[in-house]
Amino acid sequence: APSHTAFFTPKTSSVSGHSFMRSQNNARSGAVVNNPPAKSLGPVVSDAELDVAFRYVNVARMLVIGDRVPKPFLFSVDSLSPEVEIYSSYGALCLQWRDVNTSSSSGYVLLEDISEMFLDDSTSHYELVFIFKESTRALKSSRGRTSLAVRFQSAGECDKFASSMAVIRKYFE
């Protein structure tokens, strides 16, 4: 099984009663947070739970990348290869962003190349930040990015996306 050492770091928020994120303010404090071992995360995620989570993040939605000049993209989580079944390999799943007008790929990152995800509560936006592992593959596929700040339309949409990503990760632990 692939290593998922720090995909989600603890915060006070929880999914199924277990912490999975932290806020940007906690990140700035410099506090070191250790992830609990996989078996302490509670019950195993079922195929049905994975299916619901994947269906949610698989739908392309227009979100904004929070760069200096914010720009909308179509975001979704999908299989890197159409031949790969989603239940078979975590390494085949990727977070991708596409041009709104042409639907051409503007970048992607394999889920296994995301080392951390947290809510940036230092802005007035509903922003989820993904930190990528230090790898040539992640750097190339994301077109030079080491992180990605994604703005959502509402807190509910942001929470649902983050929760669905947590379920997907937990399924493959």
Side-chain angles (χ1 to χ4, degrees):
S3 171
H4 314 291
T5 52
F7 186 79
F8 298 100
T9 52
K11 181 192 172 190
T12 56
S13 301
S14 66
V15 172
S16 303
H18 301 284
S19 59
F20 72 101
M21 293 176 22
R22 69 181 171 130
S23 68
Q24 179 65 21
N25 288 338
N26 290 343
R28 288 193 193 120
S29 71
V32 176
V33 182
N34 294 321
N35 286 329
K39 56 185 151 183
S40 71
L41 292 175
V44 174
V45 174
S46 69
D47 286 354
E49 290 170 309
L50 174 66
D51 189 53
V52 169
F54 183 74
R55 284 177 191 255
Y56 184 78
V57 296
N58 183 245
V59 173
R61 56 182 42 81
M62 189 164 45
L63 302 172
V64 174
I65 292 182
D67 288 337
R68 279 181 272 142
V69 178
K71 184 176 177 187
F73 290 90
L74 294 173
F75 276 83
S76 64
V77 172
D78 207 345
S79 175
L80 194 56
S81 169
E83 300 85 41
V84 177
E85 172 70 28
I86 65 162
Y87 302 105
S88 66
S89 173
Y90 186 74
L93 297 177
C94 66
L95 173 66
Q96 60 183 337
W97 48 103
R98 298 183 176 280
D99 184 273
V100 173
N101 299 316
T102 65
S103 292
S104 62
S105 179
S106 296
Y108 72 91
V109 65
L110 294 173
L111 296 190
E112 69 181 9
D113 285 340
I114 299 173
S115 62
E116 189 175 350
M117 181 183 91
F118 58 87
L119 175 65
D120 184 352
D121 57 6
S122 68
T123 70
S124 60
H125 307 285
Y126 307 106
E127 199 165 270
L128 207 52
V129 178
F130 299 91
I131 306 295
F132 305 152
K133 289 181 180 175
E134 294 182 22
S135 75
T136 304
R137 177 178 66 189
L139 201 57
K140 283 182 179 180
S141 66
S142 68
R143 302 204 175 159
R145 293 181 175 276
T146 57
S147 66
L148 185 68
V150 182
R151 293 182 185 165
F152 289 80
Q153 298 291 323
S154 69
E157 181 184 24
C158 185
D159 288 345
K160 177 75 174 172
F161 197 91
S163 296
S164 296
M165 294 287 285
V167 166
I168 292 168
R169 175 187 176 262
K170 188 174 171 183
Y171 179 85
F172 289 101
E173 286 183 330

